[in-house]
Amino acid sequence: MKVIETISAMRADVQSARAAGKTIGLVPTMGALHAGHVSLIDAARAACDYVIVTIFVNPTQFAPTEDLGAYPRTPEADLAACRGHGADAVFMPGVAEMYPPGALTDVRVRALGERLCGRDRPVHFGGVCTVVAKLFNIVPADKAFFGQKDFQQTVVIKRMAADLNFPVEVVVCPTVREADGLAMSSRNAYLTPAQRRQAPAVYGALQVGREMISRSHPPAREVIEAMRGRLAAQAPEGQIDYVAVVNPDTLDDVETTGGPVAIALAVRLGRARLIDNIVISSQ
Ligand code: PAF
């Protein structure tokens, strides 16, 4: 497995793989790899001939008040995981390589990036789109793999890829969960033992919502109220950023739950901001 730090070497590597007739799978990550990331590498391995994982803690998707400095960094374990799961190359650029001085361009997906998490994290999706656009240009892949846990991110990236004509298929892979339902996330490492015991309430609230919708399609506000009740009861330390029932394509709030909907929520538990979602596409 190659470990590549410069854009020029990454471009040369992907070009030679393409020249050899290989299909390219891209797995963008910020490292601190867990079983969710590994499932993306496995999916890329199964679907593509040449698998490239990127590991870059992207500063532009963090606001100055957020956890860029504290974000977990585990490069040795990450490389071992990539090697163990058959990645062909890992792209690990430094900040100066990705953002040389003088850069003035960023990429923003209006509306979609401003809803849900975008309300509490107004710079986040601009940073995500900018870095993912750069990665799509550096590694022209056939398929790029993202986790469903970051549901809004997948919607925003699909829109950006379509709007900017990136010839890449955005593949969304299922959320990987701990045994008690907590969605895997690098930020779960921030939870204290007491907060960790409360954290499964996030998925529990989603299940409350899903059961209500499949049983009787109640108005969205009733679903939200019941989910908030579950969170208050089972995660008393949690501070809810949002609980929402939205159209899965536009991310607009919906009032009724008879059609396809996504239920999404973000809850702060101590230093961790936990997000999770369920998409109910056919009813
Ligand atoms: O999901 C992530 O880990 C990041 O947002 C991504 C897509 C790698 C961009 O930095």
Side-chain angles (χ1 to χ4, degrees), residues 77-136:
D78 293 348
L79 289 175
C82 292
R83 202 173 283 114
H85 286 263
D88 295 290
V90 175
F91 180 48
M92 289 178 94
V95 173
E97 181 73 2
M98 289 298 279
Y99 294 107
L104 293 174
T105 305
D106 56 21
V107 180
R108 217 159 254 279
V109 174
R110 291 187 298 276
L112 294 180
E114 289 153 17
R115 304 199 169 121
L116 303 175
C117 289
R119 289 193 196 111
D120 301 297
R121 306 188 69 195
V123 304
H124 178 66
F125 288 107
V128 168
C129 288
T130 302
V131 81
V132 172
K134 286 163 78 71
L135 293 171
F136 283 175

Side-chain angles (χ1 to χ4, degrees), residues 65-248:
T65 51
E66 292 180 347
D67 58 340
L68 173 62
Y71 197 83
R73 288 160 171 88
T74 56
E76 295 311 319
D78 293 348
L79 289 175
C82 292
R83 202 173 283 114
H85 286 263
D88 295 290
V90 175
F91 180 48
M92 289 178 94
V95 173
E97 181 73 2
M98 289 298 279
Y99 294 107
L104 293 174
T105 305
D106 56 21
V107 180
R108 217 159 254 279
V109 174
R110 291 187 298 276
L112 294 180
E114 289 153 17
R115 304 199 169 121
L116 303 175
C117 289
R119 289 193 196 111
D120 301 297
R121 306 188 69 195
V123 304
H124 178 66
F125 288 107
V128 168
C129 288
T130 302
V131 81
V132 172
K134 286 163 78 71
L135 293 171
F136 283 175
N137 278 324
I138 296 163
V139 180
D142 297 280
K143 296 175 192 272
F145 297 81
F146 297 89
Q148 168 73 27
K149 203 254 316 170
D150 297 308
F151 164 66
Q152 185 175 11
Q153 174 170 277
T154 66
V155 174
V156 167
I157 290 174
K158 279 187 192 165
R159 185 74 262 158
M160 179 195 74
D163 290 353
L164 298 183
N165 307 100
F166 284 108
V168 60
E169 181 190 342
V170 174
V171 181
V172 180
C173 299
T175 303
V176 177
R177 300 182 180 281
E178 304 282 359
D180 59 11
L182 177 63
M184 295 227 178
S185 163
S186 307
R187 289 187 168 99
N188 291 350
Y190 298 158
L191 295 167
T192 64
Q195 291 159 354
R196 176 64 188 82
R197 284 192 289 279
Q198 296 173 52
V202 171
Y203 186 53
L206 285 172
Q207 286 173 307
V208 166
R210 174 161 54 194
E211 277 161 28
M212 287 176 77
I213 292 172
S214 58
R215 205 178 330 114
S216 61
H217 308 311
R221 73 184 143 67
E222 289 179 19
V223 175
I224 292 167
E225 201 179 322
M227 290 175 63
R228 282 181 170 272
R230 167 64 76 99
L231 285 166
Q234 295 192 345
E237 279 183 57
Q239 285 185 300
I240 299 172
D241 273 356
Y242 65 83
V243 176
V245 183
V246 298
N247 176 305

